Each structure stands twice: as C-alpha cells, then as structure tokens.
Amino acid sequence: MLTLFKFLAVALIGTALGLAVTYGVLQRGVAFNSVQAGPWRGLPKSGSPEVDPYARAKLARSAELPLGTAEGLSFIARADSSGATLQPRCDYDVSGSMPAARYWTLTLLSPKGFLIDNPAKRFGFTSAEIVRASDGTFDITVARQARPGNWLPLGKGEPFVLMLRLYDTLLDFGTAKLGAAAMPKIVKGRCE
Amino acid sequence: MNFGDRIFGFLLYVTGIVFVAGAVHLVSILLMPQVAPHDAYARLSRLAKPGQMVLLPPALPGHEITPFEDPAMAQAVCLYDVSSAPLHLHAEIPDAGLLTLSFRTRSGKIFYSMTDQAALHGTIDVRIMTEPQLEAIEDSEDDENEPLQELRLVAPDVKGFVLVNALAAFPSERAAAEARATSVSCSTEAIAQQ
C-alpha cells in the first residue's frame, strides 16, 4: 500500500514538475536557431518546415503568424545597440544600413506584439514612404513628442519593442553570417 | 533497512520524478500545436469560411487578430480542407506591388511560402492536395512531357490555411493592397474537372 502511494506521488510530482517546466519555458521563450545581429534578434527557422518543437509550441500559444522563409525575415529589438532595454521615457534614433530587400517595414509594438495607440495613428514605416537624405540614408526618430522627418510615436509611455521585417530579401542565414553592421543601429537620445 | 538502502531508495524515487517530469514536459511541448485553444487557426476560423478568400480587418490598436501583425500589410486568408477535393489557388499579378503567400497547416507549420516574384507569365496557380489526389491527377494526365503550368503541393495535413499578404507601401495604397490580397482566388474543385 505504501509503495503504491509512493509511486502515485512520483507520478503526480513528476507531472506537475513537467508541466511547470513547459509553462516556464513557453513564458520565457527558449529559442534554438536564433540569429542575433546587434540589438536585432530573428528566428529564421520559424517560417520553414524545419521549425523546432519549442518554437512551434510558443507560436501555437501566442497565435503569432511568422513570415514564411520565402516571404521574408523578421527581427525584434527589445534593447538598443548598447544592450540597454528600450525605455518608453527616452527617445531613440534608428539609422544605418539595411540588408538588401525589396521592401522593409519597421513597426512599434508592445512587448506582447500589439500596436500602441497614438494620436498620430502612426504605427510604423515602410521603406517606400520613408523620408531619406539625398545620399539615400534614412533616420527614424522614436519619441513621445512629434519630430520633423520620420517620427515614430511612442504613445503614452507603455513599454515597447521594435520589429523589423525584410520582405523578399536575399539574406540567407545558411550561407552568410549576419553582422551588427548590416542592420540598423538603435541609439538612445534624450530621456525625460 | 540501513542508511545506505534508504539513500538508494530515495534516489530511486527522485530519478522516477525526474524521468516522469521530462516525459511530461516533452509530450506537452509536442502536443501544444494540436491542443492550444486560441491558436491562429482557431482565431481565423471565426472570421473565414473554408474554400473562400476572406479579407482580414486591418491591424489597429485593440483590434488585432494575432500578435506581431504588420500594420502595413493587407491580409486575406483561405481556410482549406483537402480531405475530399484539392484546393485551387489562382492569382493574376498585374502590377509590381508586393504580394506574399504562405501555406500553413492546421497547427501552424508553414510548408511552403512564395512571393509574387514566383509568378509564371503573370499568374500564380497552386493546387494543394493529398498524396492520393496527386497520384490520381498524375495518372489521368496522358502527356507527361508537357511542362506543368501550376505548382502542386502535397498538404502535410488535410486542414490548413493560406495566408495572403499585400503590402500597402503608403497608407493611401491600403484599398489597392486589399484588392490585391483578395484578388487571389481560392476554390475547392472536383478532381474530375481537371
């Protein structure tokens, strides 16, 4: 009788522990095959049939629809180029080089991936609509107060992340290693 | 029972717990795409009917269907069930606007994706089918030398969805992008008609 009780306890504790580990892993987001280039992090395998089971489980729970490999690649920045977490009370400057792609879009989202409302109703930029300097370079200012040029409003001060999508890109992680210099820099400006 | 036996017995139970926990963890991770109640397919099937291309509402704060949507994209979805007949997807690609398609299973795995650059003579023709349906079609075709004008995909799962993205490069292009996304037709068709 005691042995049966002990076996039952092992099964119960084991199950609880296993589910707790699953919950923790999906909350934290364990990712294999992730690519990091400066502040930008991508999961290029999410859009291919070779997606790993952990990424699939996380996508199923969040209901996110990642881009297919041939559609493009997406990257998320949760920190600036110095590695400090993005602060809603600070201004940021996004500029520099961009990998070759037919189009790219930069979107400002909450850390859970939802749009942040703002009076300007501006949630992101596409590569086509952006105002560029005469030499083709661009500069996007992420700030709470309106700015001349490419202003991406921050909303009322909620935490945020930046998402960069490269559509129809020739970038291939199988053959090339993506360096921080190939991606835009995110530089912190003035803080309130 | 001496001290050594007690320690051994205790370790045996701990090993048992670790083993059960590991098995439960792996099984729950592997089952998650099948059992997650609010996954993308469940959310999309509330808005769309199978065998029909349906335009999704634009991504606006508080009204997103799924997280991490691109607000610059007009999206349309076609749910499919190829258990009885293949699905035919057809699109005319008239202009240079970006159009992307992804073919996904019920549980969200992307088994194929493409952009309008893959169009042949300005059209995209895709048939999604099961392995037996593909064999039936190949058997009924007499001329094997004729080049194939369409892309044939074997669906890993009978149920799934095709997601169409059309970029509105400028906010003023929204309506045009929506028209481009819904111009991709999607229909279930009988094998006999081919």
Side-chain angles (χ1 to χ4, degrees), chain A residues 22 56 66 71 115 126 165, chain B residues 28 64 68 70 100 104 107 169:
Chain A
T22 300
R56 278 195 77 192
E71 292 183 288
L115 298 171
T126 71
R165 290 181 176 89
Chain B
S28 60
E64 298 99 334
F68 298 103
D70 190 341
T100 75
R104 301 165 192 248
S107 58

Side-chain angles (χ1 to χ4, degrees), chain A residues 11-187:
Chain A
L12 279 176
I13 296 169
T15 306
L17 199 65
L19 291 176
V21 170
T22 300
Y23 179 79
V25 159
L26 293 182
Q27 283 301 96
R28 252 192 91 247
V30 169
F32 304 104
N33 307 313
S34 75
V35 176
Q36 187 88 33
W40 304 98
R41 204 167 106 101
L43 287 168
K45 285 266 192 291
S46 294
S48 76
E50 296 100 65
V51 56
D52 68 82
Y54 284 88
R56 278 195 77 192
K58 192 164 182 348
L59 291 173
R61 245 176 73 91
S62 70
E64 188 190 336
L65 293 164
L67 285 178
T69 315
E71 292 183 288
L73 293 166
S74 59
F75 296 89
I76 287 189
R78 295 181 190 272
D80 64 16
S81 287
S82 72
T85 308
L86 297 172
Q87 301 280 343
R89 57 187 183 85
C90 298
D91 297 353
Y92 290 91
D93 190 69
V94 184
S95 63
S97 43
M98 190 68 83
R102 208 164 123 212
Y103 288 99
W104 54 259
T105 65
L106 183 78
T107 316
L108 190 132
L109 298 157
S110 73
K112 283 198 179 301
F114 296 101
L115 298 171
I116 297 172
D117 206 1
N118 61 77
K121 299 290 169 201
R122 163 66 73 183
F123 310 111
F125 280 102
T126 71
S127 53
E129 65 185 327
I130 209 134
V131 179
R132 288 172 194 268
S134 51
D135 57 354
T137 57
F138 69 92
D139 205 324
I140 298 169
T141 310
V142 182
R144 286 171 75 175
Q145 258 72 47
R147 295 298 155 87
N150 305 306
W151 171 51
L152 194 48
L154 259 175
K156 293 196 192 74
E158 298 95 331
F160 72 100
V161 300
L162 292 170
M163 189 155 195
L164 177 69
R165 290 181 176 89
L166 308 171
Y167 289 105
D168 223 345
T169 177
L170 294 170
L171 206 62
D172 182 1
F173 296 107
T175 53
K177 191 158 164 29
L178 189 65
M183 299 286 280
K185 287 195 299 288
I186 305 172
V187 180

